[in-house]
Amino acid sequence: MKQIIGLAGVAVFALGACSEAPEQVEVTTATKVTSLEAKGTWIKDESGNVMADPQTSALTVWEGKLVSLSDASAGADMQRRLHFIDPQTVTVTSDEEKMRIGTTVRRSCFSGYLADAPDLEALVADPAQPGVFYTVTEDATRTGALSVRCQQRYQNTGSTDYPSLLVRLERHEFGTTMTGVRPLQFPLSLKVGDYPNDGIEGLAMSADNTLYLGLEKDAAGQPRIFSLTLDDDFWDTTDFVPVEDPGLAVPVFDSGNHPLNGLAWYAGESEQGYLLASARNDNELWVISTDPEKETKRIPLHFTAPASGDNCSTEERMDNASIEGLTVLGNTLYLVNDPWKENYLKNIQCDSNKASYEAMAPLLFSLPLDPAWFN
């Protein structure tokens, strides 16, 4: 594994005027580390109400909007819908109807699970096919077992009993439809382990149809990145699709829990592509080159929510943000959080935000892209 380096004390230069340069704060640790401020804005609907309990677990870009979706722990009215966020006003509109089930998916072994409350944990728009998205499922322990025939067909997952599912989504004038499904197969040599709720949490796609998949942890407790290629006939079958290990310089840890909870692709004007990864437990952004010989940069972050009232600053530092989605639009990195119900109320400081935290409302955060991250 290649050397992993921190990006402490590096100056931030905005590539554009989409967002202000973030505040840098020195965090007191054994060594001083510069933490970048990611300012948050409450996501609200067109009536000005916060987005209540969506458990936003992804972020991508489509037609100038940020697009998210909800996992299986969200309120029932939020599940199986795409959520479209205007980055300028931070207002959201969602699909009026839940995702429909297309013929291929309906005839598959996974129709029952996908038509109920699938645990959708990532989202990426296909850069070459407008209106096409890909998502992936994680924890299926809440669903019934597969039929005997289907269990026999899909028993060699290399991970969990119920396979993780890669799902194709397509937008049309009536909403969104699930039009394809492929279960993921992890070769035993990859030693992924059996962790139903620590599976794939991030998707990112390059211009050459390589799909990168971010795993929270493997059998050794380490975050991992895998890949596969989406060729022309990829969705013509519902057979297993094996993933590969591209050998990227993902951080390795001696102890602790350091899940990877989101991926985004960035290439800019260079030929070299990068994966931007959210390490939510560590409050870090990882900048991972697709060249395995290049070092990964770990950038400490802290997250703030707008506040008002007596004895309150205009921005209050959050105790727990739990970032689970990130994407690049223009020269700005956007991040969205998935309110961690066990810890979210620890954020309450100012009365102006109390109701929003209690509603498990997410925020949209932003940072200007820094050229220093990519050299």
Side-chain angles (χ1 to χ4, degrees), residues 21 108 111 140 152 157 163 229 253 270 287 300 343 362 368:
S108 75
S111 59
Q152 292 174 344
T157 67
T229 300
F253 300 91
S270 67
V287 182
N343 293 302

Side-chain angles (χ1 to χ4, degrees), residues 10-11 14 26 32 38 43 61-62 78 131 138 166 187 198 203 222 235 237 249 271 291 293 303-305 314 339 370:
V10 176
E26 285 190 350
K32 289 184 177 180
I43 302 173
V61 173
W62 179 66
M78 291 289 182
E138 191 184 35
L166 187 65
D198 292 287
L203 295 175
Q222 303 295 334
W235 297 105
T237 177
E271 295 182 1
D291 179 353
E293 298 300 318
F303 301 90
T304 61
T314 57
D370 181 352

Side-chain angles (χ1 to χ4, degrees), residues 43-46 50-54 56 65-70 75-86 91-99 171 174-176:
I43 302 173
K44 298 182 178 181
D45 63 22
E46 294 175 332
V50 294
M51 193 180 186
D53 197 21
T56 38
K65 295 273 183 80
L66 306 175
V67 190
S68 187
L69 47 66
S70 300
D77 60 332
M78 291 289 182
Q79 296 178 23
R80 282 180 44 218
R81 301 175 195 267
L82 294 183
H83 312 301
F84 303 89
I85 304 167
D86 185 322
T91 54
V92 63
T93 57
S94 300
D95 280 340
E96 293 184 2
E97 298 181 359
K98 290 183 179 291
M99 295 175 186
R171 287 282 298 165
F174 303 107
T176 305

Side-chain angles (χ1 to χ4, degrees), residues 2-309:
K2 304 300 178 292
Q3 179 185 6
I4 310 300
I5 65 173
L7 197 64
V10 176
V12 176
F13 301 97
L15 296 180
C18 294
S19 58
E20 298 178 354
E23 175 191 1
Q24 300 188 50
V25 176
E26 285 190 350
V27 180
T28 301
T29 58
T31 58
K32 289 184 177 180
V33 177
T34 300
S35 173
L36 300 184
E37 179 187 19
K39 289 186 177 181
T41 302
W42 294 106
I43 302 173
K44 298 182 178 181
D45 63 22
E46 294 175 332
S47 299
N49 301 311
V50 294
M51 193 180 186
D53 197 21
Q55 297 295 290
T56 38
S57 293
L59 202 62
T60 191
V61 173
W62 179 66
E63 294 190 345
K65 295 273 183 80
L66 306 175
V67 190
S68 187
L69 47 66
S70 300
D71 66 26
S73 60
D77 60 332
M78 291 289 182
Q79 296 178 23
R80 282 180 44 218
R81 301 175 195 267
L82 294 183
H83 312 301
F84 303 89
I85 304 167
D86 185 322
Q88 301 301 318
T89 62
V90 195
T91 54
V92 63
T93 57
S94 300
D95 280 340
E96 293 184 2
E97 298 181 359
K98 290 183 179 291
M99 295 175 186
R100 301 183 182 188
I101 307 299
T103 301
T104 299
V105 177
R106 189 168 57 249
R107 292 175 177 173
S108 75
C109 288
F110 314 108
S111 59
Y113 173 51
L114 293 175
D116 184 18
D119 193 23
L120 305 179
E121 289 287 355
L123 183 71
V124 63
D126 189 315
Q129 299 186 71
V132 174
F133 300 83
Y134 307 112
T135 185
V136 68
T137 66
E138 191 184 35
D139 188 2
T141 57
R142 285 169 283 192
T143 190
L146 293 171
S147 68
V148 174
R149 178 184 64 84
C150 291
Q151 287 184 54
Q152 292 174 344
R153 181 179 178 186
Y154 297 115
Q155 63 182 330
N156 297 320
T157 67
S159 59
T160 53
D161 289 339
Y162 198 108
S164 296
L165 306 176
L166 187 65
V167 182
R168 184 183 189 273
L169 308 177
E170 189 165 350
R171 287 282 298 165
H172 46 73
E173 59 181 318
F174 303 107
T176 305
T177 299
M178 295 182 179
T179 58
V181 59
R182 295 285 302 271
L184 299 176
Q185 187 176 53
F186 300 90
L188 293 177
S189 60
L190 296 180
K191 299 180 180 179
V192 170
D194 183 359
Y195 300 111
N197 199 35
D198 292 287
I200 300 297
E201 288 265 350
L203 295 175
M205 190 171 179
S206 67
D208 66 356
N209 291 331
T210 298
L211 184 68
Y212 294 93
L213 307 94
L215 181 79
E216 282 194 275
K217 71 175 184 181
D218 64 9
Q222 303 295 334
R224 300 279 294 276
I225 291 178
F226 302 111
S227 66
L228 56 83
T229 300
L230 295 175
D231 52 31
D232 292 339
D233 57 357
F234 185 90
W235 297 105
D236 292 347
T237 177
T238 58
D239 291 341
F240 268 128
V241 54
V243 305
E244 299 178 349
D245 185 349
L248 306 184
V250 181
V252 175
F253 300 91
D254 293 331
S255 62
N257 192 15
H258 309 271
L260 187 160
N261 285 93
L263 278 183
W265 172 261
Y266 179 74
E269 298 180 356
S270 67
E271 295 182 1
Q272 182 63 56
Y274 292 85
L275 294 173
L276 303 176
S278 167
R280 85 170 197 182
N281 284 21
D282 299 305
N283 285 340
E284 289 182 348
L285 172 71
W286 296 344
V287 182
I288 305 169
S289 173
T290 52
D291 179 353
E293 298 300 318
K294 290 192 175 182
E295 302 163 334
T296 285
K297 294 175 180 176
R298 294 170 56 186
I299 303 165
L301 305 175
H302 67 274
F303 301 90
T304 61
S308 62

